[in-house]
């Protein structure tokens, strides 16, 4: 039987370039992205043409359309070389979002190249995924210990009750400490790296230089661990793929740092926010001790990645009410798709559990987070959230939820800060002030590195300078 030819867009159907597009990243979107998604859907249906920093893209809004784009790898490619506007040189000079997509790593590969990279990640992450292995046990203990130390540090600085920013004083340093431990970092990663990851994801004018600095840091780490291997993710990735260059490994570490610091950190903050603002279903799960379900429900209400990475059409295809041409770019919106699931979950026709496991916080399809990474991310989130509610007798927002400041970029919508008034539970002891450390640049990870990093974070939180 002869293979059926692929369909082509009918003559006269509108092209993305010919359609009038409204910019997505506006003050209205910053204030209420859900309202923007709804307006776009009423106007265009489940797929809408929008502009991102002057470049037109298709935004997939409906859950079925988003799942089609995520799952059908033969039609929807991740390799940026499929992007027609890029290949034809039609992107604006220094377009800020391009810097991250030009980093050739697992997220932007297809087919066997992608599967081989996933196998490397799965092999390297395996020891940390298994709670019975020394590496897995030690990492789990470290996450809990770091969380405890940060709460104790808060008690030492502000007392058993007071005010705190659970972003700057808890979540961000916790993820930084975990990254330092997991990657086997011999150098300080610090706020500079975290801020560079933010700059890249936010797509601002300095996204390109920020990406370059973060890549350079990770390439130096790869070279160091090649010379001095240890029981860390970097060394295990080298063991799984010894032929990879320092630059290749640096690119993969860069991707992991993005997910571990920014995406996982957003999920921690989003779960805390949903509890503190009074989301009833999230609170019920937490009260029942179901931390995994608490995370699922919070991710559904407020996913850590609002609009997922671009896909590129391999050939003409109909999506929603439009024909998408080969080489067009589509951004699948998890935040908009979740609105469909929430509407479905509130229907009397279905049970309340329909949507809780269908959130897109970890992606979906062939490019979803590898299972070992999902389990590790889930462990970090549940431990971080659980430790807050173990140690805090009381916590309440000091700003109305609709006045909290957000980073609203083309990919991530994350809290800039999470200010609370708190009371610590009885028995939380303040941590002793660490001895001054001249530098943490020469340490090799582990608890000594964590103590040094805590000292640096203490100075940063109170306006001091990093010592170098």
């Amino acid at each position: 039987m002869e293979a059926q030819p692929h369909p082509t867009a009918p003559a006269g159907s509108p092209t993305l370039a010919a359609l009038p597009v409204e910019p997505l990243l506006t003050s209205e979107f910053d204030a209420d992205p859900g309202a923007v998604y709804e307006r776009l859907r009423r106007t265009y249906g489940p797929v809408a043409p929008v502009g991102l920093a002057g470049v037109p893209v298709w935004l997939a809004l409906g859950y079925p359309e988003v799942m089609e784009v995520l799952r059908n790898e033969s039609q929807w490619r991740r390799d940026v070389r499929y992007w027609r506007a890029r290949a034809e040189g039609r992107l604006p000079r220094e377009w800020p979002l391009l810097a991250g997509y030009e980093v050739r790593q697992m997220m932007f590969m297809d087919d066997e190249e992608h599967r081989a990279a996933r196998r490397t990640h799965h092999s390297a992450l395996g020891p940390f995924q298994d709670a019975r292995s020394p590496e897995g046990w030690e990492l789990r203990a470290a996450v809990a210990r770091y969380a405890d130390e940060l709460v104790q540090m808060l008690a030492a600085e502000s007392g058993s009750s007071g005010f705190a920013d659970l972003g700057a004083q808890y979540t961000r340093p916790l993820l930084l400490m975990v990254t330092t431990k997991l990657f086997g970092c011999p150098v300080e990663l610090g706020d500079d790296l975290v801020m560079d990851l933010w700059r890249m994801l936010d797509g601002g004018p300095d996204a390109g230089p920020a990406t370059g600095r973060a890549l350079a840091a990770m390439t130096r780490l790869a070279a160091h661990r090649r010379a001095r291997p240890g029981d860390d993710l970097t060394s295990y990735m080298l063991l799984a793929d010894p032929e990879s260059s320092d630059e290749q490994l640096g690119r993969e570490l860069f991707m992991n740092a993005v997910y571990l610091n920014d995406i996982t950190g957003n999920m921690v903050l989003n779960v805390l926010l949903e509890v503190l603002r009074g989301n009833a279903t999230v609170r019920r799960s937490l009260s029942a001790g179901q931390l995994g379900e608490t995370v699922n429900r919070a991710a559904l209400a407020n996913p850590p990645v609002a609009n997922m990475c671009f896909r590129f059409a391999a050939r003409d295809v109909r999506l929603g009410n439009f024909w998408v041409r080969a080489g067009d770019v589509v951004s699948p919106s998890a935040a908009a798709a979740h609105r469909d699931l929430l509407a479905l979950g509130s229907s009397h026709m279905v049970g309340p559990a329909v949507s809780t496991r269908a959130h897109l916080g970890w992606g979906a399809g062939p490019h979803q987070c590898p299972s070992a990474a999902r389990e590790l991310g889930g462990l970090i989130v549940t431990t971080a959230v659980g430790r807050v509610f173990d140690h805090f007798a009381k916590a309440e927002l000091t700003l109305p939820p609709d006045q909290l400041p957000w980073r609203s970029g083309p990919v991530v919508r994350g809290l800039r800060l999470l200010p609370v008034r708190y009371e610590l539970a009885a028995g939380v002891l303040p941590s002793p002030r660490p001895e001054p450390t001249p530098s943490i640049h020469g340490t090799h990870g582990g608890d000594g590195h964590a103590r040094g990093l805590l000292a640096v974070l203490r100075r940063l939180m109170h306006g001091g300078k990093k010592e170098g």
Side-chain angles (χ1 to χ4, degrees):
M1 179 181 294
E2 293 185 6
Q4 295 296 314
H6 295 298
T8 57
S13 58
T15 65
L16 178 59
L19 286 167
V21 298
E22 60 177 278
L24 180 66
L25 305 179
T26 63
S27 57
E28 179 190 6
F29 184 81
D30 286 344
D32 189 357
V36 175
Y37 294 138
E38 286 300 311
R39 178 168 52 75
L40 289 170
R41 184 162 188 145
R42 288 194 304 270
T43 304
Y44 298 103
V47 177
V50 301
L52 287 180
V55 172
V57 306
W58 297 108
L59 185 67
L61 303 162
Y63 189 80
E65 289 74 20
V66 167
M67 292 303 291
E68 157 62 20
V69 172
L70 296 180
R71 287 176 169 171
N72 189 346
E73 185 181 27
S74 66
Q75 171 62 52
W76 302 102
R77 312 296 276 172
R78 289 293 293 267
D79 192 326
V80 72
R81 291 174 294 187
Y82 280 88
W83 192 355
R84 191 176 64 256
R86 174 183 175 273
E88 295 174 354
R90 292 190 285 107
L91 293 179
R93 187 178 182 85
E94 303 299 326
W95 190 62
L97 303 186
L98 187 58
Y101 284 92
E102 296 283 9
V103 180
R104 186 153 186 80
Q105 38 83 3
M106 183 180 74
M107 286 179 60
F108 304 140
M109 298 173 181
D110 292 310
D111 303 324
E112 181 53 35
E113 184 183 25
H114 171 244
R115 289 189 287 272
R118 284 180 72 91
R119 287 194 293 271
T120 296
H121 278 77
H122 187 79
S123 175
L125 285 166
F128 303 99
Q129 180 189 19
D130 185 356
R132 296 167 297 182
S133 71
E135 298 88 349
W137 183 90
E138 185 178 350
L139 183 64
R140 282 158 174 76
V143 175
R145 185 169 62 253
Y146 296 161
D148 293 344
E149 288 174 345
L150 287 166
V151 175
Q152 292 164 2
M153 180 175 163
L154 185 66
E157 298 294 347
S158 303
S160 60
S161 64
F163 299 88
D165 173 8
L166 293 182
Q169 292 174 269
Y170 181 73
T171 301
R172 195 166 77 194
L174 174 62
L175 270 297
L176 179 59
M177 294 164 76
V178 173
T179 301
T180 298
K181 170 77 172 177
L182 180 62
F183 284 26
C185 296
V187 294
E188 178 188 354
L189 287 181
D191 263 24
D192 288 344
L193 175 65
V194 175
M195 293 304 296
D196 278 338
L197 299 179
W198 279 28
R199 292 181 184 109
M200 185 203 75
L201 288 166
D202 288 351
D206 52 355
T211 302
R213 289 191 297 268
L215 277 170
M218 293 304 168
T219 301
R220 291 194 300 272
L221 171 59
H224 178 87
R225 279 302 171 209
R226 189 184 299 276
R228 297 181 180 181
D231 293 325
D232 51 73
L233 178 63
T234 308
S235 300
Y236 289 165
M237 289 186 72
L238 281 166
L239 186 63
D241 185 8
E243 300 302 317
S244 66
S245 67
D246 293 341
E247 291 75 15
Q248 288 171 320
L249 180 54
R251 290 193 291 269
E252 298 301 334
L253 292 172
F254 167 82
M255 178 200 70
N256 281 283
V258 169
Y259 267 83
L260 191 54
N261 282 272
D262 202 64
I263 310 305
T264 307
N266 281 346
M267 190 171 278
V268 171
L269 287 173
N270 290 355
V271 176
L272 294 173
L273 173 60
E274 292 304 310
V275 173
L276 294 174
R277 76 175 183 86
N279 184 313
T281 60
V282 174
R283 282 193 162 190
R284 280 198 298 270
S285 298
L286 183 65
S287 297
Q290 300 171 331
L291 274 175
E293 184 68 2
T294 302
V295 172
N296 285 343
R297 291 183 180 276
L300 179 64
N302 195 359
V305 179
N307 301 316
M308 290 179 281
C309 291
F310 294 162
R311 264 65 169 184
F312 310 99
R315 50 190 174 273
D316 292 3
V317 64
R318 188 167 180 85
L319 189 69
N321 298 330
F322 295 96
W323 276 88
V324 176
R325 281 9 184 234
D328 279 359
V329 58
V330 174
S331 176
S333 176
H338 283 186
R339 297 178 74 88
D340 281 359
L341 282 178
L342 288 169
L344 178 65
S346 64
S347 169
H348 70 281
M349 300 291 290
V350 297
V354 166
S355 60
T356 58
R357 298 178 186 87
H359 72 77
L360 301 173
W362 305 116
H367 281 85
Q368 68 180 325
C369 290
S371 59
R374 292 198 305 274
E375 183 165 327
L376 181 60
L379 160 76
I380 294 169
V381 175
T382 54
T383 302
V385 171
R387 276 311 208 252
V388 166
F389 294 110
D390 284 346
H391 293 319
F392 284 58
K394 181 180 180 181
E396 57 186 19
L397 295 172
T398 59
L399 285 175
D402 61 357
Q403 293 182 22
L404 291 170
W406 292 86
R407 299 161 46 224
S408 291
V411 177
V412 168
R413 177 173 165 82
L415 283 167
R416 292 188 180 277
L417 53 89
L418 186 58
V420 299
R421 180 185 296 107
Y422 72 87
E423 292 179 11
L424 293 177
V428 177
L429 300 176
S431 63
R433 290 181 177 271
E435 293 298 319
T437 53
S439 175
I440 60 174
H441 288 261
T443 60
H444 292 268
D447 287 345
H449 196 172
R451 286 192 294 271
L453 184 55
L454 272 170
V456 171
L457 289 168
R458 185 187 299 274
R459 291 192 293 275
L460 287 172
M461 286 163 51
H462 294 276
K465 298 289 187 182
K466 284 185 295 184
E467 297 172 7

Short mmCIF file of all heavy atoms in Angstrom, two decimals, residues 152-153 172 185 201 216 381:
data_model
loop_
_atom_site.label_atom_id
_atom_site.label_comp_id
_atom_site.label_asym_id
_atom_site.label_seq_id
_atom_site.Cartn_x
_atom_site.Cartn_y
_atom_site.Cartn_z
N GLN A 152 16.17 27.48 60.89
CA GLN A 152 16.93 27.84 62.09
C GLN A 152 17.68 29.16 61.89
O GLN A 152 17.78 29.96 62.82
CB GLN A 152 17.91 26.72 62.43
CG GLN A 152 17.24 25.43 62.89
CD GLN A 152 18.17 24.25 62.85
OE1 GLN A 152 19.35 24.37 62.52
NE2 GLN A 152 17.64 23.07 63.18
N MET A 153 18.17 29.37 60.69
CA MET A 153 18.84 30.63 60.38
C MET A 153 17.87 31.80 60.48
O MET A 153 18.21 32.87 60.99
CB MET A 153 19.43 30.54 58.97
CG MET A 153 20.17 31.75 58.49
SD MET A 153 20.91 31.35 56.87
CE MET A 153 21.26 33.00 56.29
N ARG A 172 14.85 29.94 47.42
CA ARG A 172 15.98 30.12 46.51
C ARG A 172 17.27 29.59 47.11
O ARG A 172 18.01 28.85 46.43
CB ARG A 172 16.10 31.59 46.10
CG ARG A 172 17.01 31.77 44.89
CD ARG A 172 16.85 33.16 44.29
NE ARG A 172 17.54 34.17 45.07
CZ ARG A 172 17.34 35.47 44.93
NH1 ARG A 172 16.44 35.91 44.06
NH2 ARG A 172 18.01 36.34 45.66
N CYS A 185 29.72 20.79 43.16
CA CYS A 185 30.34 22.05 42.74
C CYS A 185 31.55 22.40 43.59
O CYS A 185 31.44 22.47 44.82
CB CYS A 185 29.33 23.19 42.82
SG CYS A 185 27.94 22.97 41.69
N LEU A 201 15.40 33.07 31.17
CA LEU A 201 14.02 32.64 31.05
C LEU A 201 13.06 33.81 30.88
O LEU A 201 12.02 33.68 30.23
CB LEU A 201 13.62 31.81 32.28
CG LEU A 201 14.24 30.41 32.34
CD1 LEU A 201 14.07 29.81 33.71
CD2 LEU A 201 13.63 29.50 31.29
N ALA A 216 29.28 29.14 30.76
CA ALA A 216 30.71 29.12 31.08
C ALA A 216 30.94 28.52 32.47
O ALA A 216 31.88 27.73 32.67
CB ALA A 216 31.28 30.53 31.01
N VAL A 381 10.38 19.14 46.25
CA VAL A 381 9.22 19.99 46.49
C VAL A 381 8.48 19.56 47.74
O VAL A 381 8.15 20.37 48.61
CB VAL A 381 8.28 19.99 45.27
CG1 VAL A 381 7.01 20.79 45.57
CG2 VAL A 381 8.98 20.59 44.05
#
